[in-house]
Amino acid sequence: MAPHEPPLKQALRFALDVANGRHALSKLIPLVLWLADAVLCGLVIWKVPYTEIDWVAYMEQVAQFVAGERDYTKIEGGTGPLVYPAAHVYVYTGLYYLTDRGKNVLLAQQIFAVLYMATLAVVMLCYWKAKRRQWTMGSIAYSWGLGIKMSLLLSLPAVGIVLFLGRGFGGSLRLAWLMAQMQLVIALPFLAKNWQGYLGRAFELSRQFKFEWTVNWRMMGEELFVSKQFAMVLLVLHAVVLLIFVTSRWLQPADRSLVSLISPMLRGRSPFTPAEELGVSSRVTPDYIMTTILSANVVGFLFARSLHYQFYVYLAWATPYLLWKAWPYTPVVCLLWAVQEAAWNTFPSTDLSSTTVVNVLLITVVLVYFGTSKPVKSGERKKAKASKKNR
């Protein structure tokens, strides 16, 4: 710090040093932000009137499950049929009993506040590079999340590649089988009653979305929005962009082409020697994992035919990381984040807000693609060896 510097300038320099990680106090920023958010959650529950959205409908659906109904096609609530996988039913069954059959809304709000704060803590740890290589626990957590809401399918291609590169061919197959077993076990009561009904409702890929609730693509007009041609175009574009990311970005740790990897795997063999697997795994860093999975998610959002307001939870915390990773220029990051925030907080959505949502997603995808062109750096070899023990 320069001598005889004005107090205001000194304070500004100090604030910038703390904010940019150049001061010892910088490490306290996550904790301070977390505590501030906790206080805000308490104030919201205390002061903001409760707004009913789907709580009553979920409780009505769970009440039918508790009463013994196992046919998914017969479970309905005030907002319509049950359209979430089985883990959703089990989670809300627990809440059903904890909140006196859904009557204690205040307790439910407090439970969700605790869940929100726990999620925020995990997000902060990821930003801070938690460096956990618990492949089995991660696979279980992902599969359980997929059992709650099928939106997590958007990141499945990236999850599969991360597990393949991080755990090797055989290890990734075992983890894939574990995740499949989880889906089977949690759905078993419903599959036994009406397996077609369960799959059709819980993982309804052909669902007809309502134009009135969409956050994106409103500017296209209702006639085009509901058309099958538009849905097919989005699906094809989604597949093409995913393939581009897979071949030129997500397989960087392997340092191999997609074709050269697929050929031996089709014959049931690993494309790597044991020594090569260790080397590839060492390059599966926290930065690589976050960038790969979050970029798959934002690509999925870009080409999703309909996004609803609750989907913003998948995007709000991911966008700052992706933008900083792609182009660490503060004005651009802050501007795009603020514009995105304003667009998603416009209710009901308008042509302008929908256009903004889609364009910010497009800009994010393009920036991430060009901002991650350099190969990932090699990690520590001993960590890769230690990860082999985590099954």
Side-chain angles (χ1 to χ4, degrees), residues 255-328:
D255 197 24
R256 299 270 192 91
S257 69
L258 179 62
V259 174
S260 67
L261 294 174
I262 290 178
S263 181
M265 287 192 293
L266 290 176
R267 297 193 295 271
R269 296 190 295 104
S270 173
F272 307 111
T273 66
E276 287 174 335
E277 280 193 353
L278 285 175
V280 171
S281 181
S282 71
R283 294 189 287 272
V284 180
T285 63
D287 276 344
Y288 165 80
I289 293 173
M290 279 191 66
T291 303
T292 301
I293 292 178
L294 294 183
S295 60
N297 200 54
V298 77
V299 167
F301 270 43
L302 175 59
F303 297 109
R305 180 152 59 127
S306 182
L307 297 174
H308 296 173
Y309 287 96
Q310 65 265 34
F311 284 90
Y312 194 45
V313 299
Y314 295 102
L315 192 63
W317 286 327
T319 298
Y321 173 84
L322 289 173
L323 292 176
W324 275 111
K325 184 71 177 177
W327 192 6

Side-chain angles (χ1 to χ4, degrees), residues 374-390:
K374 295 181 180 179
V376 294
K377 295 180 180 179
S378 178
E380 297 176 9
R381 193 176 183 85
K382 63 181 181 179
K383 288 184 179 179
K385 292 180 179 179
S387 72
K388 290 290 183 179
K389 300 177 182 179
N390 297 323

Side-chain angles (χ1 to χ4, degrees), residues 105-121:
V105 175
L106 177 60
L107 178 58
Q109 290 177 298
Q110 294 169 341
I111 292 172
F112 276 106
V114 171
L115 178 62
Y116 167 80
M117 294 311 302
T119 305
L120 179 57

Side-chain angles (χ1 to χ4, degrees), residues 4 39 44 89 110 176 178 207 253 261 264 270 279 292 333 337 351 371 378:
H4 310 299
V39 172
V44 168
V89 177
Q110 294 169 341
L178 173 63
R207 187 179 307 162
L261 294 174
S270 173
T292 301
V333 173
W337 174 82
D351 287 353
S378 178

Side-chain angles (χ1 to χ4, degrees), residues 68-72 74 187-196:
E69 183 59 72
R70 296 297 182 269
D71 188 339
Y72 243 59
K74 296 180 180 179
L188 198 56
F190 306 104
L191 293 174
K193 183 68 176 181
N194 182 355
W195 69 270
Q196 291 176 313

Side-chain angles (χ1 to χ4, degrees), residues 29 78 109 133 180 222 270:
I29 291 178
Q109 290 177 298
R133 295 174 64 89
E222 184 170 6
S270 173

Side-chain angles (χ1 to χ4, degrees), residues 351-372:
D351 287 353
L352 177 60
S353 69
S354 293
T355 302
T356 303
V357 166
V358 173
N359 278 282
V360 171
L361 287 169
L362 176 60
I363 292 170
T364 304
V365 169
V366 172
L367 288 179
V368 169
Y369 179 78
F370 288 103
T372 57

Side-chain angles (χ1 to χ4, degrees), residues 9 42 123 129 134 174 176 179 187 197 321 329 351 365 387:
K9 194 172 183 178
V123 170
K129 299 182 182 179
Q134 303 295 325
R174 287 191 291 271
M179 291 189 285
Y321 173 84
Y329 182 55
D351 287 353
V365 169
S387 72

